[in-house]
Amino acid sequence: MKTNSKSNTALVLGSGAARGVAHIGVIEALESREIRPDMIVGSSMGAVVGAVYGAGKMDEFSEFLTSLDWRDIVYYCDFVFPQQGLLEGKRILDKLEEIIGEITIEELGIPFFAVSTNLKTGQPVIFDKGKVTTALRASFSVPGIFQPAEIDEEWYLDGGLVAPLPIKQARELGASTVIAVDLNHDQINRNTRRRTIKRFDRKDILNKPVEKNVSEEDGRVSIWNHVERRYKTVEQSMRLALYNLIQADKLENKSPNIFDVLGSSMTIMEHNLSKITLEQYPPEILIQPRLSHLNFFDFDNAPEAIRTGYKAAVDVFDKNPEIFNHITP
């Protein structure tokens, strides 16, 4: 697939869960230099930020993220009975639709491409049309954490599984200049720092009502009666795991919980794949914010992540002014 423009600058936004908030700062730095890409190619959280940018809703999205505390983060973790994943992801999609509206990719202000992974074939899939939030749900379906996204009888997983830094895809789409934002370069042998976190009553986690995901119409209500008590225990365990993860005095010297294992596994894979991608498909401009201290769910650190992304981009621009020669005004 090729775009029509003869000279195309692609902004490639990599995956990285909460680290992906740094993309906002990078975009702010680009705008301060009056640089507007001709296309956006994103994986996972990179796709989310790219779509919001294309929709012209960055201010609203940034305001939402910077207001989050851990009570909010736990709320958006809509646990389901773990058959395909721990989280349904509907609350996140509802919030995204509230911010950007029920729009299609074709209606975005910038050509936009969200990268996902086909569960059956293991191949990257590029979403370039249709409802924005449908494409985003496919792109951020982190295996084990989110249920896979089902679209037209196909199942999709996180784009970071095959293209955590989709430079190759941007080239195939016709990009002559690539501005790549790599969030995974410093994630191996990282030292997570001790954080000071505003505490809240763990009863807020344990006492939140369990949402039933089985309707009476499907004939399984009797099964629910048998598993309801056990499921409530499972959900409380998940909420407690999140609660323990965010306690500052437990961030060091603790055994990994399920979120540590799943999140770190994705991070290790993304780090290695991104390194290979940069060797095979070097971009004209590479921005690598230093985010090793941020974990998968550290969305409450959004202000710091945004500042880090902005600084990393500005540093690259200031130290290498010649890079702007690659960009056609």
Side-chain angles (χ1 to χ4, degrees), residues 230-245:
R230 178 58 180 164
Y231 174 51
K232 184 173 182 179
T233 301
V234 171
E235 183 178 25
Q236 287 184 346
S237 296
M238 294 300 99
R239 294 186 183 280
L240 277 175
L242 265 180
Y243 178 81
N244 290 334
L245 179 63

Side-chain angles (χ1 to χ4, degrees), residues 215-233:
S215 63
E216 294 183 6
E217 289 77 11
D218 66 11
R220 291 180 293 166
V221 67
S222 60
I223 298 177
W224 171 260
N225 291 333
H226 287 290
V227 303
E228 181 176 16
R229 181 175 299 177
R230 178 58 180 164
Y231 174 51
K232 184 173 182 179
T233 301

Side-chain angles (χ1 to χ4, degrees), residues 188-230:
I188 303 299
N189 293 323
R190 63 198 183 101
N191 293 316
T192 302
R193 74 185 184 198
R194 181 181 291 267
R195 298 193 294 136
T196 301
I197 304 171
K198 181 179 179 181
R199 296 174 181 271
F200 52 91
D201 193 339
R202 57 192 273 165
K203 291 180 180 178
D204 292 338
I205 298 175
L206 294 179
N207 294 339
K208 191 177 188 305
V210 176
E211 297 180 3
K212 295 183 180 181
N213 295 292
V214 180
S215 63
E216 294 183 6
E217 289 77 11
D218 66 11
R220 291 180 293 166
V221 67
S222 60
I223 298 177
W224 171 260
N225 291 333
H226 287 290
V227 303
E228 181 176 16
R229 181 175 299 177
R230 178 58 180 164

Side-chain angles (χ1 to χ4, degrees), residues 12-17 41-48 113-119 122-127 135-143 146 148-149 155-167 169 184 266 269-270 273-274 277:
V12 173
L13 303 177
S15 58
V41 184
S43 279
S44 199
M45 189 61 183
V48 173
F113 306 90
V115 181
S116 183
T117 304
N118 185 291
L119 176 60
Q123 295 299 310
V125 176
I126 295 178
F127 287 85
L136 296 183
R137 181 62 180 84
S139 188
F140 70 66
S141 297
V142 180
F146 288 101
W155 293 90
Y156 297 94
L157 293 172
D158 194 285
L161 284 170
V162 290
L165 192 60
I167 300 174
Q169 287 71 25
N184 298 300
M266 280 293 294
M269 180 181 61
E270 289 173 345
L273 287 177
S274 296
T277 295

Side-chain angles (χ1 to χ4, degrees), residues 165-177:
L165 192 60
I167 300 174
K168 178 177 182 290
Q169 287 71 25
R171 297 294 191 196
E172 292 173 347
L173 289 163
S176 57
T177 298

Side-chain angles (χ1 to χ4, degrees), residues 14-311:
S15 58
R19 298 188 299 278
V21 180
H23 289 315
I24 296 174
V26 172
I27 291 172
E28 290 177 351
L30 290 172
E31 290 187 328
S32 72
R33 298 299 200 275
E34 298 185 348
I35 299 171
R36 185 174 178 83
D38 299 304
M39 70 174 81
I40 299 172
V41 184
S43 279
S44 199
M45 189 61 183
V48 173
V49 176
V52 172
Y53 178 45
K57 299 294 184 179
M58 192 64 80
D59 288 343
E60 293 88 337
F61 189 54
S62 180
E63 181 180 354
F64 162 66
L65 288 174
T66 54
S67 69
L68 288 175
D69 62 21
W70 271 102
R71 193 192 311 267
D72 301 315
I73 294 169
V74 172
Y75 167 76
Y76 283 105
C77 292
D78 47 359
F79 291 96
V80 293
F81 193 81
Q83 293 178 322
Q84 300 170 326
L86 298 173
L87 308 181
E88 182 179 9
K90 185 177 184 302
R91 289 178 186 165
I92 295 174
L93 283 189
D94 288 346
K95 186 61 183 182
L96 286 172
E97 283 196 355
E98 179 185 325
I99 293 173
I100 67 177
E102 296 187 24
I103 62 174
T104 64
I105 292 175
E106 296 91 328
E107 294 174 304
L108 295 176
I110 303 174
F112 170 76
F113 306 90
V115 181
S116 183
T117 304
N118 185 291
L119 176 60
K120 182 178 180 179
T121 67
Q123 295 299 310
V125 176
I126 295 178
F127 287 85
D128 60 355
K129 60 184 178 180
K131 191 174 180 180
V132 171
T133 52
T134 299
L136 296 183
R137 181 62 180 84
S139 188
F140 70 66
S141 297
V142 180
I145 292 181
F146 288 101
Q147 293 182 321
E150 182 182 13
I151 304 172
D152 296 331
E153 299 184 350
E154 294 282 351
W155 293 90
Y156 297 94
L157 293 172
D158 194 285
L161 284 170
V162 290
L165 192 60
I167 300 174
K168 178 177 182 290
Q169 287 71 25
R171 297 294 191 196
E172 292 173 347
L173 289 163
S176 57
T177 298
V178 170
I179 305 171
V181 187
D182 172 25
L183 306 177
N184 298 300
H185 68 103
D186 60 350
Q187 295 303 305
I188 303 299
N189 293 323
R190 63 198 183 101
N191 293 316
T192 302
R193 74 185 184 198
R194 181 181 291 267
R195 298 193 294 136
T196 301
I197 304 171
K198 181 179 179 181
R199 296 174 181 271
F200 52 91
D201 193 339
R202 57 192 273 165
K203 291 180 180 178
D204 292 338
I205 298 175
L206 294 179
N207 294 339
K208 191 177 188 305
V210 176
E211 297 180 3
K212 295 183 180 181
N213 295 292
V214 180
S215 63
E216 294 183 6
E217 289 77 11
D218 66 11
R220 291 180 293 166
V221 67
S222 60
I223 298 177
W224 171 260
N225 291 333
H226 287 290
V227 303
E228 181 176 16
R229 181 175 299 177
R230 178 58 180 164
Y231 174 51
K232 184 173 182 179
T233 301
V234 171
E235 183 178 25
Q236 287 184 346
S237 296
M238 294 300 99
R239 294 186 183 280
L240 277 175
L242 265 180
Y243 178 81
N244 290 334
L245 179 63
I246 66 180
Q247 297 307 304
D249 61 347
K250 294 185 179 180
L251 280 176
E252 297 178 355
N253 301 319
K254 67 179 181 65
S255 60
N257 59 46
I258 188 170
F259 299 104
D260 294 320
V261 172
L262 293 174
S264 294
S265 297
M266 280 293 294
T267 294
I268 292 168
M269 180 181 61
E270 289 173 345
H271 168 88
N272 291 317
L273 287 177
S274 296
K275 184 177 180 180
I276 293 171
T277 295
L278 290 172
E279 292 172 352
Q280 295 181 345
Y281 306 97
E284 283 68 33
I285 302 170
L286 177 62
I287 301 169
Q288 294 179 307
R290 301 189 65 83
L291 301 163
S292 63
H293 57 286
L294 293 184
N295 285 318
F296 190 94
F297 280 99
D298 283 352
F299 287 94
D300 64 325
N301 268 359
E304 179 183 353
I306 293 172
R307 289 192 299 269
T308 302
Y310 182 89
K311 182 179 184 303

